[in-house]
Amino acid sequence: MNELIIGDRKIGPEHPPLVIAEIGINHEGSFDKAIQMIDDAASVGCECVKFQTHVVDDEMIPNNVIPGNAKESIWEIMNRCALTKEEERELKKYTEAKGMIFLSTPFSRAAAVQLEELGVLAYKIGSGECNNYPLIEHIARYGKPVILSTGMNNLESIEKAVAILRKHNTPFALLHCTSIYPTPYDKVRLGALEELAQAFPDAVLGLSDHSLSNYPSLGAVALGARILERHFTSDKSWPGPDISISMDPTDLKELIEGSRAIFQALGGRKNVLKEEQPTIDFAYACVVAIRDIRAGEELSMENIWVKRPGTGEIKAEHFDSLLGKKALSQIKQNEQIRWAHVNG
């Protein structure tokens, strides 16, 4: 069975979805904000928070490229928001003391080395690194579970990344993702989950969503997603390029509760449950006499009909089979008909 285990948490088709609160760089480089977001995620029952690890000099060259959801260059953003190794160590320790899983996305080889030295339990690889095969190879060698986002990649490029993970026997999950900030609902494309399931039957599936609500994530659970990731902030009025697409503690609580409810509602068959019997007792209709019936009288729509409650022996579904039969004994008005009352 396709399954990941991170710490004591099993993740896969048979387990409730893991909701990841993606703190990312929403702390804007502030350690205190990062702590507050960990606290707020823990307060609503979140199991996992995720940061981003940026060793800027190893990640990129100086540049003036401005992301679509920002007004300054990615170089300026990352230099302002990067946490130190010691800060990440403290955040990991603090997160785990709260009983949660600490994850972080490495954006370079140096960042992956740093996280390995911190002893992370698993790795999250972002969409931008899905086709960064040298980095995936480096991380796969650690042998720890990998959660790989697949935004901006097609099946062909994802297949190459998966081949690397399989080569190293690395347990992995694939998160469908659309790298548009925010993502319009008609660009979320939940149908991609089915494609991923068919192409990679050994993968745990999930959704990393950048839309403005929980709706796509909740829908994804019904389609097999068992990891749900959304950006998270304690306060939607804070500055930051990802704040506008982030959920707050109220949203996070609803996502956790909603995803678990949908997971519990999945499966089953269309049969009658024993727990439905109390409802059957009042809601079903049974065949009753609508006037006094003499012994030997033929049963017809003039003297029998169907009425509630459903405690009688002959339910409404058998009404037609009684028509034309004769009463073997007297039946009083409003008396529920029994098989012993009729011939044949």
Side-chain angles (χ1 to χ4, degrees):
M1 182 179 66
N2 42 347
E3 182 178 84
L4 290 182
I5 302 178
I6 301 178
D8 295 328
R9 179 57 152 93
K10 295 181 178 180
I11 309 164
E14 304 303 315
H15 307 288
L18 174 71
V19 174
I20 300 175
E22 159 73 293
I23 293 173
I25 57 170
N26 279 348
H27 48 71
E28 285 281 298
S30 166
F31 182 81
D32 290 340
K33 277 188 173 180
I35 289 292
Q36 181 178 342
M37 284 185 276
I38 294 171
D39 284 339
D40 288 341
S43 72
V44 295
C46 188
E47 297 179 83
C48 179
V49 294
K50 190 187 79 66
F51 290 85
Q52 296 178 8
T53 301
H54 297 281
V55 181
V56 181
D57 288 341
D58 196 57
E59 178 180 327
M60 66 181 76
I61 59 174
N63 65 86
N64 295 315
V65 177
I66 299 175
N69 59 336
K71 296 181 180 180
E72 57 186 326
S73 74
I74 191 69
W75 174 262
E76 293 171 306
I77 293 170
M78 293 314 166
N79 273 286
R80 184 181 70 251
C81 296
L83 298 169
T84 67
K85 181 178 180 180
E86 287 309 309
E87 286 175 325
E88 286 202 342
R89 187 188 307 278
E90 290 303 310
L91 292 176
K92 178 176 180 293
K93 181 179 178 181
Y94 191 79
T95 297
E96 292 173 348
K98 294 273 185 180
M100 293 189 291
I101 297 168
F102 173 91
L103 292 178
S104 188
T105 299
F107 285 81
S108 66
R109 179 171 53 182
V113 170
Q114 179 172 305
L115 288 172
E116 186 64 16
E117 290 173 352
L118 293 180
V120 293
L121 299 175
Y123 286 88
K124 166 67 197 302
I125 298 177
S127 293
E129 283 64 55
C130 183
N131 61 6
N132 185 342
Y133 306 126
L135 181 58
I136 293 175
E137 183 88 41
H138 176 88
I139 293 172
R141 289 194 184 104
Y142 292 137
K144 295 179 178 178
V146 166
I147 300 171
L148 176 64
S149 278
T150 61
M152 304 177 289
N153 286 267
N154 57 23
L155 290 178
E156 183 180 359
S157 60
I158 297 168
E159 174 61 49
K160 294 176 183 178
V162 168
I164 295 171
L165 298 172
R166 287 172 175 159
K167 180 178 70 174
H168 292 281
N169 295 314
T170 302
F172 67 98
L174 298 176
L175 304 189
H176 170 54
C177 176
T178 301
S179 300
I180 303 174
Y181 308 88
T183 304
Y185 290 137
D186 64 344
K187 296 295 190 296
V188 173
R189 302 165 299 153
L190 291 180
L193 287 167
E194 183 179 356
E195 280 191 282
L196 289 173
Q198 292 175 351
F200 310 104
D202 51 339
V204 174
L205 297 182
L207 177 71
S208 180
D209 184 42
H210 301 117
S211 73
L212 297 178
S213 79
N214 285 329
Y215 298 140
S217 294
L218 294 173
V221 176
L223 299 175
R226 294 297 177 266
I227 299 176
L228 304 174
E229 178 185 72
R230 288 193 67 204
H231 283 269
F232 173 73
T233 181
S234 292
D235 189 335
K236 292 183 180 181
S237 69
W238 283 354
D242 293 325
I243 295 294
S244 64
I245 58 168
S246 296
M247 55 183 174
D248 63 14
T250 299
D251 300 325
L252 176 57
K253 185 172 189 271
E254 291 175 352
L255 179 57
I256 294 167
E257 293 178 349
S259 63
R260 289 175 181 171
I262 292 170
F263 173 76
Q264 289 178 334
L266 295 175
R269 298 172 56 246
K270 189 55 190 167
N271 56 339
V272 179
L273 301 176
K274 64 179 181 180
E275 293 88 348
E276 292 180 296
Q277 189 60 49
T279 307
I280 288 173
D281 287 346
F282 77 80
Y284 271 17
C286 294
V287 182
V288 302
I290 56 176
R291 62 170 175 77
D292 289 345
I293 301 173
R294 303 183 310 276
E297 185 178 347
E298 185 175 290
L299 302 183
S300 70
M301 296 182 68
E302 304 301 319
N303 55 23
I304 63 172
W305 189 241
V306 292
K307 294 185 180 182
R308 295 200 292 178
T311 53
E313 183 178 328
I314 305 178
K315 309 302 183 192
E317 61 184 305
H318 299 296
F319 176 79
D320 286 349
S321 68
L322 294 177
L323 297 176
K325 296 184 182 297
K326 292 185 178 181
L328 296 178
S329 59
Q330 183 180 4
I331 308 171
K332 295 182 178 179
Q333 183 178 359
N334 283 333
E335 185 177 352
Q336 293 174 327
I337 309 295
R338 292 181 289 110
W339 292 114
H341 283 139
V342 298
N343 68 331

